[in-house]
Amino acid sequence: ARRNFDWRKCQTTDLNDVLKQAVKQSQYFADARQVNLQLDLPSEPLPLLTIDHEYLKIAVARLVDNGIKFSANPGSTVFITAAAYHQG
């Protein structure tokens, strides 16, 4: 189902927490498909985002679930990685 974006729902969001929640929520599905999940976060916290928190949670969860669903072989690993790039 498609959801309309609403700027009024934007709030400060910690991407680290969103990624950790997505992995935790997808772990049962991964285990059932015999797929490993590996979350690699940088040692320094990622910058906070001002975004629709629920919309981001849904998007990240779908990406993780698609990684699991389309893994070729049992024993495969889905890597979830995030990094901050600073322009300057």
Side-chain angles (χ1 to χ4, degrees):
R2 191 163 192 123
R3 183 178 155 190
N4 292 325
F5 185 78
D6 184 352
W7 283 103
R8 295 172 293 183
K9 293 183 180 180
C10 289
Q11 61 187 15
T12 302
T13 300
D14 184 342
L15 185 56
N16 288 307
D17 290 342
V18 171
L19 293 171
K20 289 174 187 176
Q21 288 174 4
V23 169
K24 185 176 180 180
Q25 290 173 345
S26 297
Q27 192 62 59
Y28 179 79
F29 181 45
D31 290 345
R33 306 266 310 202
Q34 299 178 339
V35 172
N36 302 305
L37 295 178
Q38 183 171 330
L39 177 60
D40 294 320
L41 295 175
S43 56
E44 292 184 24
L46 295 166
L48 297 176
L49 304 174
T50 302
I51 193 163
D52 182 332
H53 181 82
E54 290 302 313
Y55 197 74
L56 180 62
K57 278 178 35 179
I58 291 167
V60 170
R62 286 182 181 170
L63 289 170
V64 173
D65 285 349
N66 281 344
I68 297 165
K69 187 186 312 182
F70 295 108
S71 291
N73 301 313
S76 297
T77 299
V78 173
F79 294 91
I80 300 95
T81 306
Y85 292 97
H86 302 280
Q87 293 180 330

